[in-house]
């Protein structure tokens, strides 16, 4: 993601209950951030969408444990984007 501002990314699987709760919540959060003119992007990635992510990605972010939430920070490490995984703890 080449953006000049942070991005909140939700990796979801449509079959998990938590994803069914988090996806509408993230849509509402996106609406509130836009309304408040906060420069943060909100995006969602369906882990079942075609083409499927590589096996190595699915190993790290299994669909059965979805949703997974990430914060992507532009130019945080030597000009490259940094990724912060939220593990729920």
């Amino acid at each position: 993601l080449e953006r000049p501002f942070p991005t909140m990314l939700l990796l979801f699987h449509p079959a998990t209950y938590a994803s069914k709760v988090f996806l509408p919540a993230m849509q509402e959060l996106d609406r509130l951030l836009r309304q408040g003119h906060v420069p943060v992007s909100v995006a969602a990635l369906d882990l079942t969408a075609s083409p499927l992510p590589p096996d190595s990605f699915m190993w790290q972010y299994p669909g059965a444990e979805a949703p997974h939430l990430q914060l992507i920070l532009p130019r945080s490490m030597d000009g490259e984007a940094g990724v912060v995984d939220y593990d729920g703890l």
Side-chain angles (χ1 to χ4, degrees):
L1 296 169
E2 295 291 328
R3 298 189 176 173
F5 43 84
T7 299
M8 295 177 66
L9 177 62
L10 181 72
L11 306 169
F12 72 96
H13 191 292
T16 66
Y17 178 77
S19 290
K20 291 176 184 179
V21 171
F22 269 80
L23 188 56
M26 292 297 288
Q27 291 169 335
E28 179 65 11
L29 178 61
D30 180 51
R31 186 187 68 75
L32 292 170
L33 291 170
R34 287 175 189 263
Q35 191 175 40
H37 305 287
V38 178
V40 175
S41 177
V42 178
L45 174 66
D46 184 344
L47 295 173
T48 64
S50 183
L52 290 175
D55 289 338
S56 60
F57 183 86
M58 293 305 293
W59 178 258
Q60 189 171 2
Y61 303 103
E65 294 179 7
H68 306 279
L69 185 61
Q70 295 180 330
L71 178 62
I72 302 172
L73 303 168
R75 298 178 298 278
S76 66
M77 299 170 51
D78 298 325
E80 296 293 320
V83 178
V84 178
D85 287 309
Y86 175 70
D87 60 8
L89 300 175

